[in-house]
Amino acid sequence: MKLAIDAMGGDNAPGAIVEGTVRAAEAFPDLEFILVGDRARIEPLLSEHRHIDILHTTEKIEGTDAPVKAVRSKKQASMVLAVQEVREKRCAAAISAGNTGALMASGLFGVGRIKGIDRPALAPTLPTIHENKGFLFLDVGANAETKPENMLQYALMGSIYAEKIMHRSNPRIGLLNIGEEPGKGNELTKKAYQLLSEAPVNFIGNVESRELLQGPADVIVADGFSGNLVLKSIEGTAMSLINLLKETLGGSLYTKVLTGLMYGKLKSIKNRMDYSAYGGALLFGLSAPVIKVHGAAKSEAVFTAIKQAKLLVEEDVVGIIEETIHDKDHTWLNSKV
Amino acid sequence: MKLAIDAMGGDNAPGAIVEGTVRAAEAFPDLEFILVGDRARIEPLLSEHRHIDILHTTEKIEGTDAPVKAVRSKKQASMVLAVQEVREKRCAAAISAGNTGALMASGLFGVGRIKGIDRPALAPTLPTIHENKGFLFLDVGANAETKPENMLQYALMGSIYAEKIMHRSNPRIGLLNIGEEPGKGNELTKKAYQLLSEAPVNFIGNVESRELLQGPADVIVADGFSGNLVLKSIEGTAMSLINLLKETLGGSLYTKVLTGLMYGKLKSIKNRMDYSAYGGALLFGLSAPVIKVHGAAKSEAVFTAIKQAKLLVEEDVVGIIEETIHDKDHTWLNSKV
């Protein structure tokens, strides 16, 4: 299996990207890699690796670029070429830590959607406080406008992913909403509730944002606008609180001793809250695995995303989603195709 | 000035409610109170107070009651009678820790809306990490369906509150959104952005949920659905993290010493994150001050809410909102009246 890696995307590129890839090449001798990017910057970071090739390009999409425009005009950008490797079947999956919108556009133009999926979703795995198991959260912002039917498709895709990749049997699907009772919410979530109730998934009902980190479900379905707000408020609150605690400790008389003792604890909590350690966010609904790694990702997250891509391909998650959607029994979904 | 207090609402009623009221009666000798509820349960908690009367009733709205139905059928409920004291001008403001939806319905049926305000909003003050100043956040769920025009009205009301009650000069108004750039968001936030840009407030643009606790604005305007999700994810993340930290510390070899040293720190952080300490959530847009105290509120929060009510009446915030909305220069808003 060969994977295409955008070596130039994200805040820590190409260093963290190359380092994570080298680690993965050592850990999984059956994998091969194409690092796409500036050879002059990548090569010095690579000790010789039989399983890592470089596809040279100096063009690159910036974090600030307008996604669609950038993908259309920068045809030799590292991200665009990485996705093209998948489109032309030389690679089985693509990974990038670059501009999320541009990666989605590259994916849509490059490999296209699974037939029957109207809108791909951005789907990271978030940690939970106690079980260290995490839950899949989609959509967290691939689409600002969402229809109930999109959320039904997210639920279906999420359920398959949770079973095949996260190894949850009969995965629990929850709907992000502003109350637990069935009639709660806005027009969108009320309709989505109805559709999910009739879908062939283990739908457990509405879940409030307050409960998320307690792990009430294996998959949380949200419209992209709400999912993005909630994801970022979890991140922001966790980081603010941890920084506040560090400062509070730093001001104590017992600074040295306490800080030393606490540092390890804080770090482990911070890591548990850091969803990049849970791998990348899949662009769910594209007809081949394309994974978005957090822009601030270090080599560890790149390594995890590569493991995730390997599993996605081995388990043929995209193929199973396609089959499920076209299964004749699912007239509720076939009617949309 | 006389205030009506629903003695029976919330998890800790009537104990915490009566205790908070007694403290306020001692702190502010110019205030008078009517505690509405079961005399047999309230009286034993009251040492004699010249300034506290009891309005006896045994009927009560439960947290699980359907709001509108409850308000219509339980005409002698403590919450309903408290609002009625305001309607009939015997009291200047009402405070309750009971069912939020029912309090909104009591307010709408009882005192009505400010002319020109289509939908009242629920508006708590949230803490920020560093400055300990807090920001007003509205709407956090009074309305599940929101129009751009509602959000314009929230901005106007919030700006007046921030200036008069929070003492911020030229208060900064931010719009909760999924990106900072002007074109970001869904249809609703894009239209709201446009309206806020033209409004006579100090609009500073979009604010992402990740930034909220850093205090980027004095007032954050949101549709009620998004506001509710974000409020609860901030609460849930903060509480989860603090509990995790406590557990982590509890497992340490240095348990006793560390826990002792840390406990004060943790508590101060927890308090800073606990928005009930910032007073109640105003039901913004009603034609008299009605304040919702957190259901889990202790006497401290009741005391703070009473201080807040006092200031609201003294500063005539409702009157200023009415004037501002009817000011002839504000044709953009008058057109809605």
Short mmCIF file of all heavy atoms in Angstrom, two decimals, chain B residues 104 117 119-126 135-143 146-148 150-162 166 172-177 192 196 212 217-228 230-231 280-286 317 321:
data_model
loop_
_atom_site.label_atom_id
_atom_site.label_comp_id
_atom_site.label_asym_id
_atom_site.label_seq_id
_atom_site.Cartn_x
_atom_site.Cartn_y
_atom_site.Cartn_z
N MET B 104 -39.50 32.38 31.09
CA MET B 104 -39.67 33.19 29.88
C MET B 104 -41.16 33.34 29.55
O MET B 104 -41.63 34.44 29.25
CB MET B 104 -38.90 32.55 28.73
CG MET B 104 -38.95 33.30 27.41
SD MET B 104 -38.32 35.01 27.51
CE MET B 104 -36.58 34.75 27.15
N ILE B 117 -39.04 44.84 20.27
CA ILE B 117 -38.22 43.64 20.44
C ILE B 117 -39.11 42.43 20.14
O ILE B 117 -40.11 42.20 20.81
CB ILE B 117 -37.67 43.54 21.88
CG1 ILE B 117 -36.78 44.73 22.22
CG2 ILE B 117 -36.90 42.22 22.07
CD1 ILE B 117 -35.49 44.82 21.44
N ARG B 119 -38.18 39.07 20.00
CA ARG B 119 -37.93 37.89 20.82
C ARG B 119 -37.00 38.23 21.96
O ARG B 119 -35.86 38.66 21.72
CB ARG B 119 -37.20 36.82 19.96
CG ARG B 119 -37.94 36.34 18.76
CD ARG B 119 -39.02 35.36 19.16
NE ARG B 119 -39.56 34.72 17.99
CZ ARG B 119 -39.31 33.45 17.65
NH1 ARG B 119 -38.54 32.70 18.40
NH2 ARG B 119 -39.85 32.93 16.57
N PRO B 120 -37.43 38.05 23.18
CA PRO B 120 -36.49 38.23 24.29
C PRO B 120 -35.38 37.16 24.20
O PRO B 120 -35.57 36.11 23.58
CB PRO B 120 -37.36 38.01 25.53
CG PRO B 120 -38.75 38.25 25.07
CD PRO B 120 -38.78 37.76 23.65
N ALA B 121 -34.27 37.47 24.81
CA ALA B 121 -33.12 36.56 24.78
C ALA B 121 -32.69 36.24 26.21
O ALA B 121 -32.90 37.03 27.12
CB ALA B 121 -31.96 37.23 24.04
N LEU B 122 -32.09 35.09 26.38
CA LEU B 122 -31.53 34.71 27.68
C LEU B 122 -30.05 35.10 27.67
O LEU B 122 -29.30 34.66 26.80
CB LEU B 122 -31.71 33.21 27.88
CG LEU B 122 -31.31 32.65 29.25
CD1 LEU B 122 -32.19 33.21 30.35
CD2 LEU B 122 -31.40 31.13 29.23
N ALA B 123 -29.66 35.91 28.64
CA ALA B 123 -28.33 36.54 28.56
C ALA B 123 -27.54 36.43 29.86
O ALA B 123 -27.60 37.30 30.70
CB ALA B 123 -28.50 38.01 28.17
N PRO B 124 -26.76 35.36 30.03
CA PRO B 124 -25.87 35.28 31.19
C PRO B 124 -24.58 36.07 30.93
O PRO B 124 -24.29 36.44 29.80
CB PRO B 124 -25.54 33.79 31.28
CG PRO B 124 -25.60 33.32 29.86
CD PRO B 124 -26.67 34.18 29.17
N THR B 125 -23.86 36.33 32.00
CA THR B 125 -22.52 36.90 31.87
C THR B 125 -21.52 35.78 32.12
O THR B 125 -21.58 35.10 33.14
CB THR B 125 -22.32 38.03 32.89
OG1 THR B 125 -23.38 38.97 32.73
CG2 THR B 125 -21.00 38.74 32.67
N LEU B 126 -20.62 35.58 31.17
CA LEU B 126 -19.62 34.52 31.32
C LEU B 126 -18.28 35.10 31.75
O LEU B 126 -17.97 36.24 31.43
CB LEU B 126 -19.45 33.76 30.00
CG LEU B 126 -20.28 32.49 29.91
CD1 LEU B 126 -21.74 32.82 29.77
CD2 LEU B 126 -19.82 31.61 28.76
N PHE B 135 -18.10 38.56 30.02
CA PHE B 135 -18.77 39.15 28.86
C PHE B 135 -20.22 38.69 28.85
O PHE B 135 -20.54 37.61 29.35
CB PHE B 135 -18.05 38.77 27.55
CG PHE B 135 -18.06 37.30 27.24
CD1 PHE B 135 -19.04 36.75 26.42
CD2 PHE B 135 -17.08 36.47 27.75
CE1 PHE B 135 -19.05 35.38 26.13
CE2 PHE B 135 -17.08 35.10 27.47
CZ PHE B 135 -18.06 34.56 26.66
N LEU B 136 -21.07 39.52 28.28
CA LEU B 136 -22.48 39.18 28.16
C LEU B 136 -22.65 38.32 26.92
O LEU B 136 -22.10 38.62 25.86
CB LEU B 136 -23.31 40.46 28.03
CG LEU B 136 -24.82 40.25 28.09
CD1 LEU B 136 -25.26 39.99 29.54
CD2 LEU B 136 -25.56 41.46 27.53
N PHE B 137 -23.40 37.23 27.07
CA PHE B 137 -23.55 36.27 25.97
C PHE B 137 -25.04 36.10 25.73
O PHE B 137 -25.77 35.65 26.61
CB PHE B 137 -22.91 34.95 26.43
CG PHE B 137 -22.73 33.91 25.36
CD1 PHE B 137 -22.73 34.23 24.02
CD2 PHE B 137 -22.52 32.58 25.72
CE1 PHE B 137 -22.53 33.25 23.05
CE2 PHE B 137 -22.33 31.58 24.76
CZ PHE B 137 -22.34 31.94 23.42
N LEU B 138 -25.50 36.49 24.53
CA LEU B 138 -26.92 36.33 24.24
C LEU B 138 -27.17 36.08 22.76
O LEU B 138 -26.41 36.58 21.96
CB LEU B 138 -27.72 37.54 24.74
CG LEU B 138 -27.72 38.85 23.95
CD1 LEU B 138 -28.76 39.79 24.52
CD2 LEU B 138 -26.37 39.52 23.88
N ASP B 139 -28.10 35.27 22.46
CA ASP B 139 -29.04 34.49 23.23
C ASP B 139 -28.44 33.10 23.50
O ASP B 139 -27.84 32.52 22.60
CB ASP B 139 -30.35 34.39 22.44
CG ASP B 139 -31.38 33.45 23.03
OD1 ASP B 139 -31.41 33.27 24.26
OD2 ASP B 139 -32.16 32.89 22.25
N VAL B 140 -28.62 32.56 24.69
CA VAL B 140 -28.12 31.21 24.97
C VAL B 140 -29.25 30.18 25.01
O VAL B 140 -29.10 29.13 25.62
CB VAL B 140 -27.28 31.13 26.25
CG1 VAL B 140 -26.09 32.07 26.17
CG2 VAL B 140 -28.12 31.41 27.48
N GLY B 141 -30.36 30.48 24.35
CA GLY B 141 -31.35 29.43 24.21
C GLY B 141 -32.80 29.79 24.49
O GLY B 141 -33.65 28.91 24.55
N ALA B 142 -33.10 31.09 24.63
CA ALA B 142 -34.51 31.44 24.79
C ALA B 142 -35.27 31.08 23.52
O ALA B 142 -36.42 30.68 23.56
CB ALA B 142 -34.66 32.93 25.09
N ASN B 143 -34.59 31.19 22.37
CA ASN B 143 -35.21 30.88 21.09
C ASN B 143 -34.37 29.88 20.32
O ASN B 143 -33.18 30.10 20.11
CB ASN B 143 -35.34 32.16 20.25
CG ASN B 143 -36.02 33.27 21.02
OD1 ASN B 143 -37.20 33.19 21.30
ND2 ASN B 143 -35.24 34.28 21.41
N THR B 146 -33.93 31.59 15.16
CA THR B 146 -33.54 32.99 15.26
C THR B 146 -33.44 33.62 13.88
O THR B 146 -32.99 32.97 12.94
CB THR B 146 -32.17 33.09 15.97
OG1 THR B 146 -32.24 32.38 17.21
CG2 THR B 146 -31.78 34.54 16.24
N LYS B 147 -33.86 34.89 13.77
CA LYS B 147 -33.69 35.64 12.52
C LYS B 147 -32.58 36.66 12.70
O LYS B 147 -32.30 37.09 13.83
CB LYS B 147 -34.99 36.36 12.18
CG LYS B 147 -36.12 35.41 11.81
CD LYS B 147 -37.39 36.19 11.54
CE LYS B 147 -38.54 35.23 11.31
NZ LYS B 147 -39.84 35.87 11.57
N PRO B 148 -31.98 37.11 11.61
CA PRO B 148 -30.93 38.12 11.71
C PRO B 148 -31.40 39.36 12.48
O PRO B 148 -30.63 39.94 13.25
CB PRO B 148 -30.62 38.47 10.25
CG PRO B 148 -31.11 37.33 9.45
CD PRO B 148 -32.22 36.70 10.20
N ASN B 150 -33.47 39.52 14.93
CA ASN B 150 -33.41 39.26 16.37
C ASN B 150 -32.01 39.54 16.88
O ASN B 150 -31.82 40.13 17.94
CB ASN B 150 -33.76 37.81 16.68
CG ASN B 150 -35.13 37.37 16.16
OD1 ASN B 150 -35.28 36.29 15.62
ND2 ASN B 150 -36.13 38.23 16.30
N MET B 151 -31.02 39.11 16.11
CA MET B 151 -29.63 39.24 16.57
C MET B 151 -29.20 40.71 16.61
O MET B 151 -28.41 41.12 17.46
CB MET B 151 -28.71 38.38 15.70
CG MET B 151 -29.02 36.89 15.93
SD MET B 151 -28.35 35.78 14.68
CE MET B 151 -26.64 35.73 15.18
N LEU B 152 -29.75 41.49 15.70
CA LEU B 152 -29.51 42.93 15.73
C LEU B 152 -30.06 43.52 17.03
O LEU B 152 -29.41 44.34 17.70
CB LEU B 152 -30.20 43.57 14.52
CG LEU B 152 -30.28 45.09 14.47
CD1 LEU B 152 -28.88 45.68 14.42
CD2 LEU B 152 -31.09 45.54 13.26
N GLN B 153 -31.25 43.09 17.41
CA GLN B 153 -31.86 43.58 18.66
C GLN B 153 -31.05 43.13 19.87
O GLN B 153 -30.87 43.88 20.83
CB GLN B 153 -33.31 43.11 18.75
CG GLN B 153 -34.18 43.73 17.65
CD GLN B 153 -35.56 43.10 17.54
OE1 GLN B 153 -35.95 42.26 18.35
NE2 GLN B 153 -36.31 43.51 16.53
N TYR B 154 -30.54 41.89 19.83
CA TYR B 154 -29.69 41.42 20.93
C TYR B 154 -28.47 42.33 21.07
O TYR B 154 -28.06 42.67 22.19
CB TYR B 154 -29.17 39.99 20.68
CG TYR B 154 -30.21 38.92 20.49
CD1 TYR B 154 -29.85 37.68 19.95
CD2 TYR B 154 -31.54 39.11 20.84
CE1 TYR B 154 -30.78 36.67 19.77
CE2 TYR B 154 -32.47 38.10 20.65
CZ TYR B 154 -32.10 36.89 20.11
OH TYR B 154 -33.00 35.90 19.92
N ALA B 155 -27.88 42.70 19.93
CA ALA B 155 -26.67 43.53 19.95
C ALA B 155 -26.96 44.88 20.59
O ALA B 155 -26.19 45.38 21.42
CB ALA B 155 -26.13 43.72 18.53
N LEU B 156 -28.08 45.45 20.22
CA LEU B 156 -28.44 46.76 20.75
C LEU B 156 -28.68 46.68 22.26
O LEU B 156 -28.16 47.50 23.03
CB LEU B 156 -29.70 47.25 20.04
CG LEU B 156 -30.12 48.65 20.43
CD1 LEU B 156 -29.18 49.67 19.82
CD2 LEU B 156 -31.56 48.91 20.01
N MET B 157 -29.45 45.70 22.68
CA MET B 157 -29.75 45.54 24.11
C MET B 157 -28.47 45.24 24.88
O MET B 157 -28.24 45.78 25.97
CB MET B 157 -30.78 44.43 24.32
CG MET B 157 -32.15 44.74 23.72
SD MET B 157 -33.45 43.57 24.25
CE MET B 157 -33.00 42.08 23.37
N GLY B 158 -27.64 44.38 24.31
CA GLY B 158 -26.40 43.99 24.98
C GLY B 158 -25.47 45.17 25.15
O GLY B 158 -24.80 45.32 26.18
N SER B 159 -25.42 46.01 24.15
CA SER B 159 -24.53 47.16 24.20
C SER B 159 -24.94 48.11 25.33
O SER B 159 -24.10 48.62 26.08
CB SER B 159 -24.57 47.88 22.85
OG SER B 159 -23.65 48.95 22.84
N ILE B 160 -26.23 48.31 25.48
CA ILE B 160 -26.73 49.19 26.55
C ILE B 160 -26.43 48.58 27.92
O ILE B 160 -25.95 49.25 28.84
CB ILE B 160 -28.25 49.43 26.38
CG1 ILE B 160 -28.50 50.26 25.11
CG2 ILE B 160 -28.85 50.11 27.61
CD1 ILE B 160 -29.94 50.33 24.66
N TYR B 161 -26.66 47.27 28.04
CA TYR B 161 -26.39 46.58 29.31
C TYR B 161 -24.90 46.68 29.67
O TYR B 161 -24.53 46.95 30.81
CB TYR B 161 -26.82 45.12 29.20
CG TYR B 161 -26.64 44.32 30.46
CD1 TYR B 161 -27.67 44.22 31.40
CD2 TYR B 161 -25.45 43.65 30.72
CE1 TYR B 161 -27.51 43.48 32.56
CE2 TYR B 161 -25.28 42.90 31.88
CZ TYR B 161 -26.31 42.82 32.79
OH TYR B 161 -26.15 42.08 33.94
N ALA B 162 -24.05 46.42 28.67
CA ALA B 162 -22.61 46.43 28.93
C ALA B 162 -22.15 47.80 29.41
O ALA B 162 -21.29 47.91 30.28
CB ALA B 162 -21.84 46.01 27.67
N MET B 166 -22.30 46.84 33.22
CA MET B 166 -20.95 46.30 33.32
C MET B 166 -19.89 47.42 33.28
O MET B 166 -18.70 47.15 33.40
CB MET B 166 -20.71 45.29 32.19
CG MET B 166 -21.67 44.10 32.24
SD MET B 166 -21.76 43.21 30.64
CE MET B 166 -20.23 42.27 30.71
N ARG B 172 -17.53 46.58 23.12
CA ARG B 172 -17.23 45.85 21.88
C ARG B 172 -18.25 44.73 21.69
O ARG B 172 -18.43 43.89 22.57
CB ARG B 172 -15.84 45.23 21.96
CG ARG B 172 -14.70 46.22 22.12
CD ARG B 172 -13.46 45.52 22.69
NE ARG B 172 -13.74 44.93 24.00
CZ ARG B 172 -13.03 43.96 24.57
NH1 ARG B 172 -11.98 43.47 23.95
NH2 ARG B 172 -13.37 43.48 25.75
N ILE B 173 -18.89 44.71 20.52
CA ILE B 173 -19.90 43.71 20.22
C ILE B 173 -19.33 42.74 19.20
O ILE B 173 -18.93 43.14 18.11
CB ILE B 173 -21.18 44.36 19.62
CG1 ILE B 173 -21.61 45.59 20.41
CG2 ILE B 173 -22.29 43.32 19.49
CD1 ILE B 173 -22.06 45.33 21.82
N GLY B 174 -19.29 41.45 19.55
CA GLY B 174 -18.78 40.44 18.62
C GLY B 174 -19.90 39.50 18.20
O GLY B 174 -20.87 39.29 18.93
N LEU B 175 -19.76 38.93 17.02
CA LEU B 175 -20.74 37.97 16.50
C LEU B 175 -20.13 36.57 16.55
O LEU B 175 -19.07 36.34 15.95
CB LEU B 175 -21.12 38.34 15.07
CG LEU B 175 -22.03 37.36 14.31
CD1 LEU B 175 -23.42 37.31 14.95
CD2 LEU B 175 -22.14 37.77 12.84
N LEU B 176 -20.77 35.65 17.25
CA LEU B 176 -20.27 34.27 17.31
C LEU B 176 -20.37 33.66 15.92
O LEU B 176 -21.45 33.64 15.31
CB LEU B 176 -21.11 33.45 18.29
CG LEU B 176 -20.64 32.01 18.52
CD1 LEU B 176 -19.33 31.98 19.30
CD2 LEU B 176 -21.69 31.18 19.24
N ASN B 177 -19.24 33.15 15.43
CA ASN B 177 -19.25 32.61 14.07
C ASN B 177 -18.14 31.57 13.90
O ASN B 177 -17.32 31.40 14.80
CB ASN B 177 -19.09 33.77 13.06
CG ASN B 177 -19.75 33.47 11.72
OD1 ASN B 177 -19.97 32.31 11.36
ND2 ASN B 177 -20.06 34.51 10.98
N ALA B 192 -26.68 38.49 9.67
CA ALA B 192 -26.53 39.20 10.95
C ALA B 192 -25.29 40.10 10.90
O ALA B 192 -25.32 41.23 11.40
CB ALA B 192 -26.43 38.21 12.11
N LEU B 196 -25.34 44.03 11.74
CA LEU B 196 -24.54 44.56 12.85
C LEU B 196 -23.55 45.62 12.35
O LEU B 196 -23.24 46.58 13.06
CB LEU B 196 -23.80 43.43 13.58
CG LEU B 196 -24.69 42.47 14.37
CD1 LEU B 196 -23.87 41.37 15.00
CD2 LEU B 196 -25.46 43.21 15.45
N LEU B 212 -13.46 32.72 23.05
CA LEU B 212 -14.40 33.38 23.97
C LEU B 212 -13.82 33.67 25.35
O LEU B 212 -13.97 34.77 25.88
CB LEU B 212 -15.68 32.56 24.12
CG LEU B 212 -16.62 32.55 22.90
CD1 LEU B 212 -17.84 31.70 23.20
CD2 LEU B 212 -17.01 33.97 22.52
N ALA B 217 -14.48 40.34 23.43
CA ALA B 217 -15.56 41.33 23.30
C ALA B 217 -16.28 41.48 24.63
O ALA B 217 -16.15 40.64 25.52
CB ALA B 217 -16.54 40.90 22.21
N ASP B 218 -17.04 42.55 24.77
CA ASP B 218 -17.85 42.75 25.98
C ASP B 218 -19.20 42.06 25.85
O ASP B 218 -19.81 41.69 26.85
CB ASP B 218 -18.05 44.25 26.22
CG ASP B 218 -16.73 44.96 26.43
OD1 ASP B 218 -15.98 44.56 27.34
OD2 ASP B 218 -16.41 45.90 25.66
N VAL B 219 -19.66 41.94 24.62
CA VAL B 219 -20.94 41.30 24.33
C VAL B 219 -20.74 40.35 23.15
O VAL B 219 -20.17 40.75 22.13
CB VAL B 219 -22.02 42.34 23.96
CG1 VAL B 219 -23.34 41.66 23.63
CG2 VAL B 219 -22.20 43.37 25.06
N ILE B 220 -21.19 39.11 23.30
CA ILE B 220 -21.16 38.18 22.17
C ILE B 220 -22.60 37.88 21.78
O ILE B 220 -23.40 37.42 22.61
CB ILE B 220 -20.43 36.87 22.53
CG1 ILE B 220 -18.95 37.12 22.87
CG2 ILE B 220 -20.56 35.86 21.38
CD1 ILE B 220 -18.06 37.45 21.69
N VAL B 221 -22.90 38.14 20.53
CA VAL B 221 -24.25 37.90 20.01
C VAL B 221 -24.26 36.56 19.27
O VAL B 221 -23.36 36.28 18.48
CB VAL B 221 -24.65 39.03 19.04
CG1 VAL B 221 -25.94 38.70 18.30
CG2 VAL B 221 -24.78 40.35 19.80
N ALA B 222 -25.27 35.74 19.57
CA ALA B 222 -25.40 34.44 18.91
C ALA B 222 -26.87 34.12 18.71
O ALA B 222 -27.72 34.63 19.43
CB ALA B 222 -24.76 33.35 19.77
N ASP B 223 -27.16 33.27 17.73
CA ASP B 223 -28.50 32.72 17.68
C ASP B 223 -28.64 31.78 18.89
O ASP B 223 -27.65 31.24 19.38
CB ASP B 223 -28.74 31.99 16.36
CG ASP B 223 -27.87 30.77 16.19
OD1 ASP B 223 -26.71 30.91 15.77
OD2 ASP B 223 -28.34 29.66 16.50
N GLY B 224 -29.86 31.60 19.37
CA GLY B 224 -30.08 30.86 20.61
C GLY B 224 -29.62 29.42 20.56
O GLY B 224 -29.16 28.86 21.56
N PHE B 225 -29.72 28.80 19.40
CA PHE B 225 -29.30 27.41 19.27
C PHE B 225 -27.77 27.31 19.45
O PHE B 225 -27.28 26.54 20.29
CB PHE B 225 -29.72 26.86 17.90
CG PHE B 225 -29.47 25.40 17.72
CD1 PHE B 225 -30.40 24.46 18.14
CD2 PHE B 225 -28.30 24.94 17.13
CE1 PHE B 225 -30.17 23.10 18.00
CE2 PHE B 225 -28.06 23.58 16.97
CZ PHE B 225 -29.01 22.66 17.40
N SER B 226 -27.05 28.11 18.71
CA SER B 226 -25.58 28.09 18.81
C SER B 226 -25.11 28.55 20.18
O SER B 226 -24.18 27.97 20.75
CB SER B 226 -24.97 29.02 17.76
OG SER B 226 -25.32 28.63 16.46
N GLY B 227 -25.75 29.58 20.71
CA GLY B 227 -25.36 30.09 22.02
C GLY B 227 -25.51 29.04 23.10
O GLY B 227 -24.65 28.89 23.97
N ASN B 228 -26.60 28.29 23.02
CA ASN B 228 -26.83 27.23 24.00
C ASN B 228 -25.77 26.14 23.89
O ASN B 228 -25.21 25.68 24.90
CB ASN B 228 -28.23 26.66 23.79
CG ASN B 228 -28.66 25.72 24.90
OD1 ASN B 228 -28.25 24.57 24.89
ND2 ASN B 228 -29.42 26.21 25.85
N VAL B 230 -22.74 26.35 22.72
CA VAL B 230 -21.42 26.83 23.12
C VAL B 230 -21.35 27.04 24.63
O VAL B 230 -20.38 26.63 25.28
CB VAL B 230 -21.04 28.12 22.35
CG1 VAL B 230 -19.85 28.82 22.98
CG2 VAL B 230 -20.75 27.78 20.89
N LEU B 231 -22.38 27.62 25.21
CA LEU B 231 -22.41 27.80 26.67
C LEU B 231 -22.23 26.46 27.37
O LEU B 231 -21.40 26.31 28.28
CB LEU B 231 -23.75 28.42 27.09
CG LEU B 231 -23.97 28.53 28.60
CD1 LEU B 231 -23.04 29.57 29.20
CD2 LEU B 231 -25.42 28.86 28.93
N GLY B 280 -27.26 36.40 37.63
CA GLY B 280 -28.22 35.63 36.86
C GLY B 280 -28.17 36.00 35.39
O GLY B 280 -27.39 36.84 34.97
N ALA B 281 -28.99 35.29 34.63
CA ALA B 281 -29.13 35.58 33.22
C ALA B 281 -30.39 36.43 33.06
O ALA B 281 -31.48 36.01 33.45
CB ALA B 281 -29.24 34.30 32.42
N LEU B 282 -30.21 37.61 32.50
CA LEU B 282 -31.36 38.47 32.30
C LEU B 282 -32.21 37.94 31.15
O LEU B 282 -31.68 37.44 30.16
CB LEU B 282 -30.86 39.88 31.97
CG LEU B 282 -31.93 40.98 31.89
CD1 LEU B 282 -32.61 41.19 33.23
CD2 LEU B 282 -31.30 42.28 31.41
N LEU B 283 -33.53 38.02 31.30
CA LEU B 283 -34.41 37.74 30.17
C LEU B 283 -34.58 39.06 29.43
O LEU B 283 -35.44 39.86 29.74
CB LEU B 283 -35.75 37.18 30.62
CG LEU B 283 -35.68 35.88 31.42
CD1 LEU B 283 -37.07 35.29 31.59
CD2 LEU B 283 -34.79 34.86 30.73
N PHE B 284 -33.70 39.25 28.48
CA PHE B 284 -33.53 40.53 27.82
C PHE B 284 -34.63 40.79 26.81
O PHE B 284 -34.81 40.00 25.89
CB PHE B 284 -32.21 40.49 27.05
CG PHE B 284 -31.25 41.50 27.52
CD1 PHE B 284 -29.99 41.12 27.93
CD2 PHE B 284 -31.59 42.83 27.54
CE1 PHE B 284 -29.08 42.05 28.36
CE2 PHE B 284 -30.69 43.77 27.97
CZ PHE B 284 -29.44 43.39 28.38
N GLY B 285 -35.31 41.90 26.95
CA GLY B 285 -36.34 42.24 25.97
C GLY B 285 -37.72 42.26 26.60
O GLY B 285 -38.67 42.70 25.97
N LEU B 286 -37.82 41.77 27.84
CA LEU B 286 -39.08 41.90 28.56
C LEU B 286 -39.19 43.35 29.05
O LEU B 286 -38.17 44.01 29.27
CB LEU B 286 -39.14 40.94 29.75
CG LEU B 286 -39.16 39.45 29.40
CD1 LEU B 286 -39.18 38.61 30.67
CD2 LEU B 286 -40.35 39.10 28.51
N VAL B 317 -32.35 50.31 32.79
CA VAL B 317 -31.86 49.71 31.54
C VAL B 317 -33.01 49.43 30.58
O VAL B 317 -32.91 49.71 29.38
CB VAL B 317 -31.06 48.42 31.84
CG1 VAL B 317 -30.81 47.62 30.59
CG2 VAL B 317 -29.74 48.79 32.49
N ILE B 321 -33.39 50.99 26.82
CA ILE B 321 -33.55 50.15 25.63
C ILE B 321 -34.79 50.62 24.84
O ILE B 321 -34.73 50.80 23.63
CB ILE B 321 -33.69 48.66 26.02
CG1 ILE B 321 -32.34 48.13 26.54
CG2 ILE B 321 -34.17 47.82 24.84
CD1 ILE B 321 -32.39 46.72 27.11
#
